[in-house]
Amino acid sequence: MIARCSHCGTAVEVADEPPAGEEAVFCCAGCRLAAEIIRDAGAAETYHRRRTEYAPRPVASASAWEGVAVETAPDGTRSARIQVDGLRCAACVWVTERVLEATPGVRRAEVSYASGRATVEWGEGVSLAEIAGRVEALGYRPRVLGEASAPDRDLLLRLGVATFAAMNLMLLSAALYAGWFGGMAPRFVALFEWTSLVLATPVALWAAIPFHRGALRGLRAGVLQMDVPIALAVAVLYAHGVVATVTGAGDPYFDSLGMLVALLLGGRLLEARGRERASGAARALAATLPATARRLNDRGHPETVAASALVAGDRVAVGAGQEIPADGVKT
């Protein structure tokens, strides 16, 4: 029989009678390791209840973590910012933060869903490469800030299939609409409608899977999110089209189904690119901030310190044309 991997959703062939004690099915050792990490962090139950999509499969990363700039505080705490790709919902952010904070040596972890940037602080006993490995084991893709991101090939493939089908469905529907006025022969009407059904089936049953999965997980978690009406609309349109095609009564409206899925998948792709642009804008803004500041000591003499070392109440000297290292009031 065919089952779904509990972590990434990949189809897995299993025996009819699973071994005693087996409560989950995994497609590979990476997904099993990711599930164990989530379970050891005490976040398994909440994560599976809150997630709206399967996590991506764990993959190897080629980033050179040894060359990442790491800030070290006076107390020895080190911090760095990395980019995390593959975050698909708020549960992805939640479990990533919980797993990182449960890692020995990590003191704080914050992940932004909007930009995909993660800020991590850690002490002795752990390295940035190990921290990135924990994120990678969950199935997400950590990378160095500024490193080119890999495109979501699954989304691109689904969008391509939906767009191709939608364009052909529009042409077939235009012929059917024209036949209303020209008196098209019934055999050609049936041919075009059955061809439309063949084209619309992979759109409804495969290309729209992200919306079906999101709606199902949202309902399980008791949350009515945007995927619910989308999945409902796709299901109703496809069911109506099948009935209309089989019975020959009414218009199947498969063109509307194809365009709906194609446009929504295109919107998801634009959202992902917008998130990448937001991350780039944040990096550009951070690059304009000076790394050092001229802080005035008790005697009023300037001394050069790291901008991150400034605290409320410090006075700084800013020369003409220089960037201001922190928020403040001119005196």
Side-chain angles (χ1 to χ4, degrees):
M1 60 180 296
I2 302 299
R4 290 283 181 182
C5 174
S6 300
H7 185 69
C8 70
T10 301
V12 182
E13 185 175 353
V14 297
D16 292 338
E17 294 294 336
E22 286 287 339
E23 298 181 355
V25 176
F26 300 102
C27 63
C28 63
C31 287
R32 183 179 295 275
L33 175 61
E36 291 176 355
I37 291 175
I38 296 174
R39 183 194 61 200
D40 294 342
E45 181 179 355
T46 305
Y47 168 65
H48 287 92
R49 186 176 68 251
R50 296 178 58 179
R51 72 176 182 178
T52 57
E53 291 190 30
Y54 281 112
R57 296 188 66 183
V59 294
S61 174
S63 300
W65 298 106
E66 294 77 8
V68 175
V70 176
E71 299 180 0
T72 304
D75 62 353
T77 300
R78 286 168 288 182
S79 63
R81 292 184 177 91
I82 63 176
Q83 189 74 28
V84 181
D85 295 333
L87 299 175
R88 303 186 178 186
C89 60
C92 297
V93 174
W94 180 85
V95 76
T96 302
E97 292 178 341
R98 295 301 179 274
V99 167
L100 288 179
E101 290 176 349
T103 302
V106 175
R107 301 178 180 178
R108 185 178 68 91
E110 292 183 359
V111 182
S112 170
Y113 176 68
S115 63
R117 300 179 66 182
T119 302
V120 186
E121 295 181 357
W122 69 95
E124 298 294 335
V126 67
S127 65
L128 182 58
E130 294 173 349
I131 294 173
R134 298 277 287 184
V135 177
E136 184 179 327
L138 295 175
Y140 309 113
R141 298 180 295 277
R143 59 183 173 88
V144 180
L145 286 178
E147 188 179 85
S149 61
D152 191 336
R153 300 185 183 278
D154 180 73
L155 179 59
L156 288 173
L157 182 58
R158 294 181 193 274
L159 175 60
V161 171
T163 302
F164 172 80
M167 293 172 63
N168 287 276
L169 287 169
M170 290 293 290
L171 291 175
L172 292 171
S173 297
L176 289 171
Y177 297 150
W180 289 351
F181 304 99
M184 182 181 293
R187 64 178 182 276
F188 291 114
V189 173
L191 174 63
F192 289 164
E193 288 183 347
W194 279 98
T195 304
S196 298
L197 174 59
V198 172
L199 289 171
T201 297
V203 176
L205 303 183
W206 182 77
I209 281 180
F211 306 114
H212 298 317
R213 286 177 178 171
L216 181 59
R217 285 165 182 78
L219 292 176
R220 285 177 177 175
V223 178
L224 290 176
Q225 53 177 327
M226 283 302 299
D227 285 338
V228 175
I230 294 174
L232 182 61
V234 172
V236 170
L237 278 172
Y238 183 69
H240 168 78
V242 171
V243 173
T245 301
V246 173
T247 62
D251 192 341
Y253 295 113
F254 284 129
D255 54 333
S256 300
L257 169 63
M259 289 303 299
L260 174 66
V261 176
L263 290 175
L264 290 173
L265 288 174
R268 283 205 170 186
L269 182 62
L270 292 177
E271 178 190 3
R273 292 185 176 180
R275 189 181 303 166
E276 179 63 24
R277 287 196 296 269
S279 178
R283 291 196 300 269
L285 180 61
T288 62
L289 297 176
T292 60
R294 299 174 63 206
R295 183 173 61 187
L296 301 180
N297 56 25
D298 296 337
R299 299 181 179 179
H301 299 299
E303 55 182 8
T304 301
V305 298
S308 58
L310 295 175
V311 297
D314 284 346
R315 295 184 301 160
V316 297
V318 181
Q322 291 183 340
E323 297 288 344
I324 300 177
D327 292 338
V329 178
K330 181 178 178 181
T331 59

